[in-house]
Amino acid sequence: MAYTLNVNGKALSADVDGDTPLLWVLRDTLGLVGTKYGCGVAACGACTVHVDGQPMRSCQIPVEAVGKSKISTIEGMSKNAVGKRVQAAWMELDVAQCGYCQAGQIMSATALLTQTPRPTDAQIDEAMNGNLCRCATYVRIRAAIKRASGQKEA
Amino acid sequence: MTYHDKVLKVFGANRREVLVSVGAGGLTLGFSLAGKAQAQDDAVKPLNAYVSVAPNGTVTITAKNPEVGQGVKTMLPMLIAEELDVAWENVRIEQADNDPKAFGRQFAGGSMATPLHWDELRRVGAVARAMLIQAAATAWNCGPGDCTTDTGAVIHKASGKKRTYGSLALACANITPPDPKSLTLKDPKAYRILGKFTPQYDVAKIVNGEPLFGIDVRRPGMLYASIVKAPVFGAKVASADLDAARSVKGVKKAFVIEGDPNGLFPQGMTGQGLLPAVVVVADSWWAARKGRDRLNVKWADHPTAKLSTRGFDEQAAAFNAGTPQRNARNDGDVAAALKASARTVEAAYSYPFISHANLEPQNCTAEFRDGKLEIWAPTQNPEPGRQLTAKTLGLKPEDITIHMIRGGGGFGRRLANDYMVEAAWVAREVGAPVKLLWTREDDMAHDHYRPGGYHFFKGGVDADGALIALQDHFVSFTNNTEGQPSPSAGMAASEFPARFVPNVKYDVSMIPAQIPTGPLRAPGSNALSFVFQSFIDEMAHAASADPLAFQIRLLGTQDTVGEAPARYGAARMRGVLKAVGEMSGWASRGKLPKGEGMGVACYYSHQGYFAEVAHVAVDKDGAVKVRKVWVAADVGSQIINPAGALNQVQGSVLDGVSGALHQAITFENGATVQSNFTDYPLMRIAESFPVEVKFLKTDFPPTGLGEPALPPALPALTNAIFAATGKRIRSLPVTPDMLKA
Ligand code: FES
Ligand code: FES
C-alpha cells in the first residue's frame, strides 16, 4: 500500500506494508539511513525521530499510524535552529566515538532543548535516559547539551 | 584514480620502497617503510601509508586501519601531517581498502595503532617534506639545507622566497626519496598538530546522519537478508517452512545453509566458518524479517544442549574441592608461607560471560559478479576475513575485494568475520548485491563472548604487613579438542602480583564448553583485574594497611621487573598510583559521610599503566551511585590527539563500570538466555559520572588508549563499595541484593 509521508518538510511516498516500522521505511525505502537500528524494542533510542516535534522511537511506529504527522529526522536537523546548535556543540566537543548512537542522541537533545532551553542535570538525565551509548560518551553528551543551551559545561 | 594507476616504482636503499605516481590529481607518494619488527624478516609485509599533494595544496592522507570509534582514522593521519608540516584544515583523509600488499597489517585491536605507527608514520611525513624541500632547492639552485618549511610551503631561509607544496608536487616525481631513518624528526615542542584537541575527521557526517556505517551501505539492485542460526551453537537445521517465508510480500528467496556445525571452534581467532542457518532474502530488510518469523525452524539435537551456567558453577566448585589439572607457576613455598603468615584470607571470586553488544548489530554487504566478490564490511580485521571467506566459498583471495566501512563500535567483536562469510555466501547464492543484517537478538545469541571464570584464592601477610603468599586456582573454559583455553580465557603465568610476592602458586583447571569466545576490550585483563586487584585490596585490609600505600609497597623499589615481553614497569605504576592518590584526595577519604567510600586499583595492560580511584555511595536498598572516578595514566611521552584520548579513557571507565554493575550472559540448555538491552542492560546517562583524567608524561614511546583504562575501573569500583559498606564484592555483576543494609 502506498503511503505519503511528510519527512523533513517534503512529501515522500513509500509503497510498503502498513505494519512496516517507520524506521525501516526511512532507511530502506526512502534511503534516509541516518536513523539507526539498535534494538527494535524501544530500548536503545538509536532510531529516535521527531513526530510533530516529539521524540519517538521509529522502530515502534508502524507506518500506517503516521498519517499526516510531521516527521523530522537527523538529516533535517541542520535546518532546525536548535538542532543546528546541538550539532555544532557535538562537533566542537567531539562527542562521538563510533558515532552510531549519536543521531538518536542529537534528536533527543534537540527535542529537550526545544522544550526546555536551559535544562538541569536531572532534566538531561530524564530526557536522555532512553538513548544508549555503547561507547559511553555520556560525559561529553551532557557537556554538549549544556554548551548548546549556553550553560557552563561542568 | 586508484593508488596503482600509473605508478612508477622507485626502489631506494635497502628495505625502503617509494612509489611515486603522477596523475590528474597531482602527486601521490607511496611510502613503504620497513619497521623495526620487520627488520629481521623481509617476508613480513611492510608498513605503508600514502600521501598525495594536489596542485591547490590540498593534502590527501590515506587512513590505513579500520575505524570502529577508536579515532584511528584521524589519529594516524595526524602523525603524517605533523612531520609533513601542513595545515590540518588542508588535509583530506581517505579510508583505505583492505590491501595488505600496500599497507601491511590493517586491523583494529590490542590498542596497537599508536605503538606500531608512532615512529613509521611520522617518518612518512618527514620523507614527503624532505622531497618537497629538495624540489624547491633544485628550482632555486640551492642546497636543501638552505630551505625550511612552514605549513604547506617551502621557504628559502636567506631570501624568504616561498613555494607552496602544491606547486612543487609534480617536480617530486624526479626526486629520489631519502632514507627515512636518516631524517631528524621534529622536536615535540614544535608540534602544531600533535597534542591539539582534534575532532574526528568524520564528525560532520556523524552529526548530520550521512551514510557512514556498514549498515548504511547501499548498492544498485541490492536485496536484504536475515539469517537464523540455532540457539544451541552449531546445531543443524532439521526442518524449516521455507514456503511460508516465501509467501511474504517482498521475499525473493528462502534457503537453508548446511554450514559446518564444528566450524565454530577453529584454532586461533581468525574468524569463524559458516554455521548451519536458514536465510530469507527480500526487497527490504523488514520483509526478510517477516519471512524469517514464519520459518518455524526445527533444530536437530546437539551434544552441547545441556550446557548451563549453573552447571559451570557446580563444575568450578568441584574443581576447587579437588586437585587442579595443571600448575602454571610455583615460586617459593606457598603452603609454608601461608602457615607462617600473621593473617590469611581465603576467597572465591567469579565473573560471568559478557557480550560485546556493539550498538550497530553485525552486518555486511556483498556482491558476487563474474567469479569475483566485492565486500563492504564493518570489520576490525579485514584480511583474515578475506582468507576465511575465500576458504569457505572456495574462491581465490585475490578475487575478493574488501572495503573497510566504519563500524558502530568494535570492542573486539569485529575481529571475527562470521557475518562477512555469511554475507558472501548469501550474495553468491542470490546473484545480486545483498546486505545481510543480524537482529539485536541474533547479535546477542551469537557473540564470541568474553569468557567467564572462577578464581579460588588464598593469601597471607606477615606481621609486618607484607604480602608473602598468594595462591590462585583459576577455573577457566576450553572450547577446543586440544584442551587449550578458549580464546581470551587464558592467563599469563606472569599475571601480577607474580614476581612481586616471594611465594606464588597459580593453578589452572578447565571446564569444557563449546561456547564461542573472543577478545573483548582489554581481553583477559578486563576480568583478571577485578579478581586480582580486589583480592590485593582484601589483603591490604587484612594487614590493616592503607590500600593505596599497600599497593605502592607491593610494587617494590625496582624500576622494572622481568624481561620483555613480560616486563613490568614498577616505577611507572608507582608513579600513577601516587598521582591518583593526590588527584582524588585519597588521604582525606576518612571524612566521607557514612555509606560512601573510595577504592583504589591499578592495572598494566596494552603497554599502559593506569591507576584509578572510585568514589561511590551505596544506599540502604543496595543501589550503587558512582560519584566520580579519577584516572592517572602513563602511556608515554605524547598524547597524540587529546580529543580522542580523553574520550577513550572516559568511555573505558564508564564501560567497565557498566559491565560490573549490570552485565551477565548466562546459558541454559546450551543457549544464551539474554536477548536484548531489556535483559542485558548497558549504563545509561543518568548513571554516568565525571571521570577526571591525568596523563603523566614520561620518556617512553607513546602507546595506545583503546583498552588499558578499562581494567582498573572494575576493582576501583568494588573496592570503593567495600570501603562504603564493609561488603566485599566477589562476583559480578554487583546486584543490590549483595549490598542491602
Ligand atoms: S532501535 Fe528503536 S529504540 Fe532501539
Ligand atoms: S558513540 Fe558509539 S554508541 Fe555512542
Side-chain angles (χ1 to χ4, degrees):
Chain A
M1 157 137 195
Y3 295 88
T4 303
L5 302 176
N6 180 335
V7 182
N8 300 328
K10 279 193 217 116
L12 301 175
S13 64
D15 188 5
V16 292
D17 280 358
D19 64 354
T20 310
L22 177 60
L23 168 64
W24 297 107
V25 177
L26 291 170
R27 289 189 56 84
D28 290 355
T29 314
L30 302 177
L32 295 168
V33 296
T35 306
K36 293 296 192 269
Y37 165 66
C39 70
V41 299
C44 79
C47 65
T48 305
V49 299
H50 296 173
V51 180
D52 294 327
Q54 294 302 310
M56 306 268 273
R57 312 293 180 225
S58 64
C59 69
Q60 300 300 305
I61 307 171
V63 66
E64 65 200 0
V66 173
K68 297 208 169 346
S69 298
K70 291 196 181 81
I71 309 295
S72 308
T73 70
I74 188 70
E75 286 90 348
M77 280 306 99
S78 63
K79 299 210 177 65
N80 171 316
V82 178
K84 209 177 153 85
R85 268 207 324 272
V86 171
Q87 288 176 317
W90 243 253
M91 289 197 277
E92 285 159 24
L93 296 182
D94 193 32
V95 170
Q97 284 184 33
C98 80
Y100 193 76
C101 72
Q102 302 294 351
Q105 306 280 3
I106 288 170
M107 296 308 289
S108 290
T110 302
L112 167 65
L113 294 190
T114 305
Q115 222 142 55
T116 312
R118 293 173 66 83
T120 62
D121 276 317
Q123 287 170 320
I124 293 174
D125 286 347
E126 198 188 320
M128 302 300 294
N129 225 34
N131 288 83
L132 287 179
C133 176
R134 169 64 181 93
C135 305
T137 60
Y138 299 122
V139 174
R140 285 190 183 175
I141 288 172
R142 187 183 300 282
I145 292 173
K146 297 243 176 112
R147 174 173 288 207
S149 61
Q151 304 186 76
K152 248 186 71 211
E153 278 153 37
Chain B
M1 188 185 81
T2 74
Y3 301 112
H4 305 297
D5 284 346
K6 302 181 217 156
V7 166
L8 163 67
K9 277 200 176 194
V10 183
F11 290 91
N14 48 359
R15 291 195 205 92
R16 180 168 49 83
E17 175 183 328
V18 177
L19 314 177
V20 180
S21 116
V22 181
L27 173 81
T28 296
L29 299 175
F31 298 92
S32 154
L33 308 179
K36 287 181 224 93
Q38 284 87 44
Q40 303 85 11
D41 181 8
D42 281 332
V44 177
K45 299 282 183 293
L47 173 70
N48 290 262
Y50 290 91
V51 180
S52 79
V53 181
N56 71 359
T58 299
V59 175
T60 303
I61 298 178
T62 302
K64 64 169 285 232
N65 277 357
E67 174 67 61
V68 289
Q70 80 283 40
V72 80
K73 182 174 176 183
T74 307
M75 184 275 275
L76 292 181
M78 286 170 74
L79 297 173
I80 296 173
E82 179 68 63
E83 292 292 338
L84 180 56
D85 195 10
V86 289
W88 184 248
E89 303 77 66
N90 291 337
V91 172
R92 303 285 167 273
I93 299 177
E94 270 177 14
Q95 176 67 56
D97 283 340
N98 177 56
D99 186 353
K101 282 207 188 80
F103 296 106
R105 274 283 276 141
Q106 296 166 279
F107 70 105
S111 297
M112 290 303 285
T114 298
L116 287 178
H117 299 101
W118 166 246
D119 191 62
E120 282 81 350
L121 290 193
R122 283 183 304 146
R123 288 188 190 279
V124 163
V127 166
R129 175 176 175 270
M131 291 174 73
L132 290 156
I133 287 178
Q134 182 58 57
T138 306
W140 289 328
N141 228 334
C142 65
D146 299 326
C147 306
T148 185
T149 61
D150 186 15
T151 38
V154 181
I155 316 277
H156 185 255
K157 287 189 226 168
S159 68
K161 268 188 300 196
K162 206 173 179 169
R163 288 277 305 265
T164 64
Y165 285 1
S167 73
L168 292 166
L170 289 177
C172 287
N174 305 318
I175 290 168
T176 308
D179 179 354
K181 295 284 171 206
S182 73
L183 299 173
T184 310
L185 298 176
K186 269 190 184 174
D187 181 341
K189 284 193 206 71
Y191 285 161
R192 292 174 178 176
I193 295 172
L194 304 190
K196 296 277 176 317
F197 187 99
T198 308
Q200 286 197 61
Y201 183 71
D202 284 327
V203 74
K205 285 190 176 161
I206 291 171
V207 304
N208 284 298
E210 288 179 39
L212 189 61
F213 298 91
I215 198 175
D216 301 338
V217 170
R218 290 164 74 85
R219 301 290 305 157
M222 185 175 84
L223 299 174
Y224 299 79
S226 185
I227 185 164
V228 196
K229 286 170 286 186
V232 175
F233 306 102
K236 285 188 175 178
V237 180
S239 69
D241 193 347
L242 300 176
D243 285 333
R246 289 175 189 134
S247 71
V248 171
K249 193 179 140 205
V251 169
K252 306 278 187 199
K253 244 178 173 198
F255 55 93
V256 171
I257 296 178
E258 199 183 331
D260 174 8
N262 299 314
L264 203 56
F265 305 108
Q267 288 304 303
M269 48 164 278
T270 52
Q272 304 291 336
L274 203 58
L275 289 181
V278 188
V279 177
V280 178
V281 180
D283 59 8
S284 76
W285 188 72
W286 188 252
R289 241 206 101 157
K290 273 169 71 176
R292 165 208 178 129
D293 287 345
R294 299 201 187 169
L295 282 170
N296 192 23
V297 186
K298 299 273 186 287
W299 303 99
D301 289 343
H302 197 65
T304 63
K306 288 185 199 65
L307 295 184
S308 75
T309 298
R310 176 175 304 184
F312 298 154
D313 291 347
E314 287 165 6
Q315 282 167 280
F319 272 123
N320 182 39
T323 314
Q325 288 174 333
R326 189 167 72 76
N327 176 261
R329 180 174 203 107
N330 199 357
D331 296 342
D333 184 341
V334 167
L338 284 170
K339 225 175 259 163
S341 293
R343 299 286 306 275
T344 58
V345 179
E346 204 171 323
Y349 279 82
S350 67
Y351 44 84
F353 286 71
I354 59 175
S355 176
H356 296 82
N358 316 84
L359 199 56
E360 180 191 26
Q362 307 314 319
N363 68 86
C364 187
T365 302
E367 189 167 347
F368 187 76
R369 220 191 300 127
D370 307 327
K372 293 202 170 24
L373 193 56
E374 194 168 358
I375 291 173
W376 293 261
T379 175
Q380 292 177 247
N381 207 12
E383 181 58 20
R386 184 166 78 140
Q387 297 297 338
L388 185 68
T389 303
K391 190 172 86 188
T392 310
L393 272 70
L395 299 173
K396 291 205 253 359
E398 50 277 27
D399 288 336
I400 302 176
T401 303
I402 298 180
H403 307 287
M404 296 190 282
I405 311 296
R406 189 184 188 92
F411 311 108
R413 175 59 180 89
R414 299 183 207 270
L415 287 165
N417 288 292
D418 35 0
Y419 45 86
M420 185 192 291
V421 180
E422 291 171 1
W425 187 279
V426 173
R428 184 171 68 176
E429 189 80 20
V430 170
V434 172
K435 173 154 64 190
L436 175 126
L437 169 65
W438 293 12
T439 63
R440 168 58 51 199
E441 291 82 3
D442 294 335
D443 198 282
M444 203 154 279
H446 291 283
D447 199 356
H448 304 241
Y449 305 95
R450 191 285 302 272
Y454 306 83
H455 293 257
F456 300 97
F457 283 116
K458 286 181 185 154
V461 289
D462 66 13
D464 183 37
L467 182 57
I468 57 166
L470 182 80
Q471 178 176 319
D472 176 28
H473 182 184
F474 175 27
V475 179
S476 189
F477 291 89
T478 176
N479 65 9
N480 48 70
T481 45
E482 290 76 9
Q484 292 300 311
S486 302
S488 299
M491 176 172 102
S494 59
E495 180 66 28
F496 186 85
R499 302 178 294 178
F500 292 84
V501 176
N503 306 286
V504 170
K505 190 161 177 238
Y506 289 162
D507 292 322
V508 184
S509 300
M510 225 105 52
I511 300 170
Q514 288 240 313
I515 290 171
T517 66
L520 184 149
R521 198 178 211 174
S525 312
N526 58 31
L528 297 172
S529 61
F530 159 64
V531 295
F532 279 91
Q533 285 288 306
S534 296
F535 191 64
I536 288 170
D537 197 71
E538 290 204 54
M539 297 313 299
H541 286 281
S544 305
D546 169 344
L548 179 57
F550 187 86
Q551 292 266 12
I552 291 173
R553 175 176 173 182
L554 178 58
L555 286 159
T557 52
Q558 282 175 275
D559 277 3
T560 65
V561 170
E563 290 309 317
R567 183 181 295 135
Y568 192 102
R572 297 179 75 178
M573 193 59 94
R574 293 193 297 268
V576 290
L577 276 166
K578 283 176 193 153
V580 83
E582 282 159 27
M583 289 166 71
S584 61
W586 176 261
S588 33
R589 70 194 182 289
K591 297 196 192 103
L592 292 175
K594 196 171 169 314
E596 299 197 14
M598 277 187 174
V600 65
C602 62
Y603 205 79
Y604 166 68
S605 70
H606 302 279
Q607 306 182 50
Y609 293 84
F610 280 74
E612 301 178 11
V613 167
H615 171 192
V616 308
V618 182
D619 70 16
K620 60 175 185 351
D621 299 323
V624 176
K625 172 78 194 158
V626 181
R627 298 234 185 271
K628 186 167 180 176
V629 170
W630 293 263
V631 179
D634 176 356
V635 288
S637 62
Q638 178 71 45
I639 297 301
I640 296 167
N641 183 2
L646 188 61
N647 218 350
Q648 288 301 315
V649 173
Q650 292 181 325
S652 295
V653 170
L654 295 178
D655 187 2
V657 170
S658 171
L661 291 179
H662 299 300
Q663 291 157 12
I665 289 290
T666 56
F667 304 97
E668 267 170 35
N669 302 321
T672 304
V673 173
Q674 291 70 26
S675 64
N676 206 316
F677 298 125
T678 43
D679 51 8
Y680 189 83
L682 307 184
M683 177 185 283
R684 294 175 182 274
I685 193 169
E687 215 185 7
S688 67
F689 46 85
V691 180
E692 188 180 320
V693 183
K694 183 172 184 179
F695 295 108
L696 307 188
K697 289 213 174 164
T698 53
D699 292 337
F700 299 91
T703 53
L705 281 167
E707 296 163 280
L710 186 148
L714 292 85
L717 167 78
T718 52
N719 294 342
I721 290 173
F722 179 79
T725 64
K727 295 196 171 114
R728 180 57 68 181
I729 300 296
R730 295 201 184 97
S731 76
L732 296 178
V734 182
T735 62
D737 275 353
M738 297 173 175
L739 298 173
K740 267 191 197 130

mmCIF file of all heavy atoms in Angstrom, chain B residues 439-454:
data_model
loop_
_atom_site.group_PDB
_atom_site.id
_atom_site.type_symbol
_atom_site.label_atom_id
_atom_site.label_comp_id
_atom_site.label_asym_id
_atom_site.label_seq_id
_atom_site.Cartn_x
_atom_site.Cartn_y
_atom_site.Cartn_z
ATOM 1 N N THR B 439 19.606 -9.309 13.591
ATOM 2 C CA THR B 439 18.787 -8.596 14.571
ATOM 3 C C THR B 439 19.622 -8.418 15.838
ATOM 4 O O THR B 439 20.649 -9.079 16.027
ATOM 5 C CB THR B 439 17.535 -9.389 14.951
ATOM 6 O OG1 THR B 439 17.947 -10.617 15.575
ATOM 7 C CG2 THR B 439 16.675 -9.708 13.738
ATOM 8 N N ARG B 440 19.165 -7.536 16.720
ATOM 9 C CA ARG B 440 19.839 -7.424 18.024
ATOM 10 C C ARG B 440 19.854 -8.778 18.720
ATOM 11 O O ARG B 440 20.852 -9.168 19.335
ATOM 12 C CB ARG B 440 19.097 -6.388 18.890
ATOM 13 C CG ARG B 440 19.496 -6.354 20.362
ATOM 14 C CD ARG B 440 20.976 -6.079 20.575
ATOM 15 N NE ARG B 440 21.411 -4.918 19.858
ATOM 16 C CZ ARG B 440 22.687 -4.656 19.562
ATOM 17 N NH1 ARG B 440 23.660 -5.467 19.942
ATOM 18 N NH2 ARG B 440 23.003 -3.586 18.874
ATOM 19 N N GLU B 441 18.759 -9.508 18.588
ATOM 20 C CA GLU B 441 18.674 -10.804 19.262
ATOM 21 C C GLU B 441 19.683 -11.786 18.656
ATOM 22 O O GLU B 441 20.302 -12.555 19.387
ATOM 23 C CB GLU B 441 17.239 -11.346 19.164
ATOM 24 C CG GLU B 441 16.212 -10.560 19.978
ATOM 25 C CD GLU B 441 15.702 -9.289 19.277
ATOM 26 O OE1 GLU B 441 16.099 -9.030 18.118
ATOM 27 O OE2 GLU B 441 14.909 -8.551 19.901
ATOM 28 N N ASP B 442 19.844 -11.747 17.337
ATOM 29 C CA ASP B 442 20.871 -12.599 16.702
ATOM 30 C C ASP B 442 22.238 -12.253 17.276
ATOM 31 O O ASP B 442 23.062 -13.125 17.566
ATOM 32 C CB ASP B 442 20.963 -12.335 15.182
ATOM 33 C CG ASP B 442 19.720 -12.747 14.415
ATOM 34 O OD1 ASP B 442 18.987 -13.622 14.886
ATOM 35 O OD2 ASP B 442 19.502 -12.160 13.327
ATOM 36 N N ASP B 443 22.469 -10.963 17.405
ATOM 37 C CA ASP B 443 23.778 -10.480 17.832
ATOM 38 C C ASP B 443 24.106 -10.982 19.244
ATOM 39 O O ASP B 443 25.226 -11.405 19.531
ATOM 40 C CB ASP B 443 23.762 -8.945 17.799
ATOM 41 C CG ASP B 443 25.154 -8.354 17.798
ATOM 42 O OD1 ASP B 443 25.771 -8.308 18.877
ATOM 43 O OD2 ASP B 443 25.625 -7.958 16.728
ATOM 44 N N MET B 444 23.122 -10.930 20.109
ATOM 45 C CA MET B 444 23.385 -11.334 21.496
ATOM 46 C C MET B 444 23.481 -12.857 21.620
ATOM 47 O O MET B 444 24.227 -13.375 22.446
ATOM 48 C CB MET B 444 22.295 -10.780 22.404
ATOM 49 C CG MET B 444 22.767 -10.659 23.832
ATOM 50 S SD MET B 444 21.878 -9.392 24.733
ATOM 51 C CE MET B 444 22.708 -7.911 24.204
ATOM 52 N N ALA B 445 22.743 -13.549 20.769
ATOM 53 C CA ALA B 445 22.761 -15.021 20.843
ATOM 54 C C ALA B 445 24.002 -15.608 20.180
ATOM 55 O O ALA B 445 24.350 -16.761 20.431
ATOM 56 C CB ALA B 445 21.510 -15.591 20.172
ATOM 57 N N HIS B 446 24.656 -14.832 19.325
ATOM 58 C CA HIS B 446 25.775 -15.382 18.551
ATOM 59 C C HIS B 446 27.022 -14.516 18.650
ATOM 60 O O HIS B 446 27.720 -14.284 17.671
ATOM 61 C CB HIS B 446 25.352 -15.592 17.096
ATOM 62 C CG HIS B 446 24.352 -16.686 16.977
ATOM 63 N ND1 HIS B 446 24.703 -18.012 17.037
ATOM 64 C CD2 HIS B 446 23.010 -16.661 16.884
ATOM 65 C CE1 HIS B 446 23.609 -18.752 16.964
ATOM 66 N NE2 HIS B 446 22.564 -17.963 16.873
ATOM 67 N N ASP B 447 27.285 -14.080 19.849
ATOM 68 C CA ASP B 447 28.526 -13.342 20.074
ATOM 69 C C ASP B 447 29.680 -14.337 20.244
ATOM 70 O O ASP B 447 29.475 -15.550 20.345
ATOM 71 C CB ASP B 447 28.373 -12.482 21.342
ATOM 72 C CG ASP B 447 29.412 -11.365 21.397
ATOM 73 O OD1 ASP B 447 30.282 -11.313 20.502
ATOM 74 O OD2 ASP B 447 29.363 -10.554 22.339
ATOM 75 N N HIS B 448 30.874 -13.792 20.251
ATOM 76 C CA HIS B 448 32.049 -14.533 20.705
ATOM 77 C C HIS B 448 32.350 -13.901 22.058
ATOM 78 O O HIS B 448 33.064 -12.912 22.143
ATOM 79 C CB HIS B 448 33.205 -14.368 19.732
ATOM 80 C CG HIS B 448 32.849 -14.775 18.326
ATOM 81 N ND1 HIS B 448 33.475 -15.776 17.668
ATOM 82 C CD2 HIS B 448 31.890 -14.321 17.499
ATOM 83 C CE1 HIS B 448 32.925 -15.922 16.470
ATOM 84 N NE2 HIS B 448 31.965 -15.045 16.348
ATOM 85 N N TYR B 449 31.750 -14.468 23.080
ATOM 86 C CA TYR B 449 31.641 -13.791 24.372
ATOM 87 C C TYR B 449 32.975 -13.630 25.083
ATOM 88 O O TYR B 449 33.890 -14.444 24.927
ATOM 89 C CB TYR B 449 30.693 -14.573 25.283
ATOM 90 C CG TYR B 449 29.347 -14.806 24.661
ATOM 91 C CD1 TYR B 449 29.068 -15.990 23.991
ATOM 92 C CD2 TYR B 449 28.362 -13.822 24.712
ATOM 93 C CE1 TYR B 449 27.840 -16.204 23.393
ATOM 94 C CE2 TYR B 449 27.124 -14.022 24.119
ATOM 95 C CZ TYR B 449 26.864 -15.222 23.456
ATOM 96 O OH TYR B 449 25.645 -15.422 22.860
ATOM 97 N N ARG B 450 33.039 -12.623 25.960
ATOM 98 C CA ARG B 450 34.116 -12.579 26.933
ATOM 99 C C ARG B 450 33.859 -13.748 27.874
ATOM 100 O O ARG B 450 32.808 -13.846 28.472
ATOM 101 C CB ARG B 450 34.039 -11.255 27.711
ATOM 102 C CG ARG B 450 35.263 -10.932 28.599
ATOM 103 C CD ARG B 450 35.436 -11.690 29.897
ATOM 104 N NE ARG B 450 34.365 -11.614 30.861
ATOM 105 C CZ ARG B 450 34.234 -10.674 31.801
ATOM 106 N NH1 ARG B 450 35.117 -9.716 31.900
ATOM 107 N NH2 ARG B 450 33.219 -10.701 32.661
ATOM 108 N N PRO B 451 34.827 -14.681 27.998
ATOM 109 C CA PRO B 451 34.573 -15.858 28.821
ATOM 110 C C PRO B 451 34.451 -15.532 30.302
ATOM 111 O O PRO B 451 35.117 -14.623 30.808
ATOM 112 C CB PRO B 451 35.798 -16.747 28.562
ATOM 113 C CG PRO B 451 36.843 -15.852 28.005
ATOM 114 C CD PRO B 451 36.130 -14.711 27.321
ATOM 115 N N GLY B 452 33.616 -16.267 30.988
ATOM 116 C CA GLY B 452 33.542 -16.183 32.444
ATOM 117 C C GLY B 452 34.730 -16.895 33.067
ATOM 118 O O GLY B 452 35.603 -17.430 32.369
ATOM 119 N N GLY B 453 34.778 -16.894 34.391
ATOM 120 C CA GLY B 453 35.881 -17.586 35.060
ATOM 121 C C GLY B 453 35.708 -17.592 36.568
ATOM 122 O O GLY B 453 34.884 -16.838 37.119
ATOM 123 N N TYR B 454 36.486 -18.449 37.203
ATOM 124 C CA TYR B 454 36.426 -18.616 38.665
ATOM 125 C C TYR B 454 37.847 -18.602 39.209
ATOM 126 O O TYR B 454 38.750 -19.204 38.605
ATOM 127 C CB TYR B 454 35.780 -19.960 39.020
ATOM 128 C CG TYR B 454 34.421 -20.166 38.390
ATOM 129 C CD1 TYR B 454 34.313 -20.628 37.073
ATOM 130 C CD2 TYR B 454 33.256 -19.890 39.099
ATOM 131 C CE1 TYR B 454 33.068 -20.808 36.483
ATOM 132 C CE2 TYR B 454 32.004 -20.075 38.522
ATOM 133 C CZ TYR B 454 31.915 -20.540 37.204
ATOM 134 O OH TYR B 454 30.690 -20.717 36.621
#
